[in-house]
Amino acid sequence: MQRCNLFGFAFSSDAIRTRSWYCCILAVILFGHSTRTIAQSTDEKPPTIDEALWNTLEGSEPWPTELIEVGELPDPDDSIAPLIKTGNIEFKFYDANKIRRRFTGETRMAMKYYTDVKFRWRLVRAAGKRQLTVTVEHRPTRFETYHQILLPREHAHAQMYSVPLVLHELDHVRIVIDPRYQAQFEEWFQEDTKSLTIELDSRTKESEFNALIQAEIQAKSVPCFEKVLQLIQIRNRELDRRTQHGRVPLDEKFFGSDEDR
């Protein structure tokens, strides 16, 4: 399901001005909880994500292959509905009487990001070698996140959004969609790509310049995104540490105020 989409070219006399869109799906995170103690049903289903993209943290177990279909789920209140929509949450249920798990409830996430850049290049010679000097103009990167929350079937009831375990799982989603992580990505990505120098092979043709530049910009985005995922992992581990995997209430200061975001 990984893909890279590139569109649109416009030419100028001394350089090529290009806008490129990249869609990248990278490392995914899974959070587990050992407490034993949800999303509004909609007509639009989240896209199918390859199972290999749902990676796990240390200590996780494979998800049950036998899941229980649940029809209608209760409507979330106004404090939860936006979270479910933004996080693209899908609930999965299993029979906890038949399947014993170390982590009774787990949340896993997949994230896509779409970069939108325009660039100009100039061909120069340095020490007898050809180089491309590239300047990049950034437009906001678009992020999409997808979550699946695994729960025992017994939690699929009218009061599910008051169940401590469910609320704890939703807190993990809150961490992932925090806009501060996206802002941090933008800062790192723009800093790493505001100007580029690309060494050219003597056989490299001008018709290949665009592809080389696009590949370089995309490659620069990858470590920035991986660092963001590491920050998200750290924050989620801290959530589990402070709440003992949802067993104790979360300090209200954990997420900060709206002004902090």
Side-chain angles (χ1 to χ4, degrees), residues 21 44 75 118 128 136 145 166 168 171 190 200 205 216 219 232:
W21 287 266
E44 294 184 5
D75 291 336
K118 293 189 290 186
V136 182
T145 58
V166 176
H168 178 70
D171 281 341
Q190 292 185 28
L200 297 176
K205 300 177 182 178
E216 180 70 10
I232 292 173

Side-chain angles (χ1 to χ4, degrees), residues 42-56:
T42 64
D43 294 333
E44 294 184 5
K45 294 290 186 181
T48 300
I49 296 176
D50 192 293
E51 197 67 23
L53 293 174
W54 297 111
N55 294 331
T56 65

Side-chain angles (χ1 to χ4, degrees), residues 160-199:
M160 64 180 293
Y161 297 116
S162 63
V163 174
L165 179 59
V166 176
L167 295 175
H168 178 70
E169 300 294 339
L170 292 174
D171 281 341
H172 279 300
V173 179
R174 284 190 175 88
I175 289 174
V176 174
I177 67 172
D178 188 328
R180 288 176 290 188
Y181 294 112
Q182 299 179 19
Q184 182 64 78
F185 171 88
E186 295 282 17
E187 180 181 333
W188 286 332
F189 181 44
Q190 292 185 28
E191 178 64 25
D192 288 351
T193 58
K194 61 183 179 182
S195 63
L196 302 171
T197 300
I198 301 176
E199 300 283 347

Side-chain angles (χ1 to χ4, degrees), residues 12 24 66 157:
S12 62
C24 302
E66 297 182 15
H157 55 70

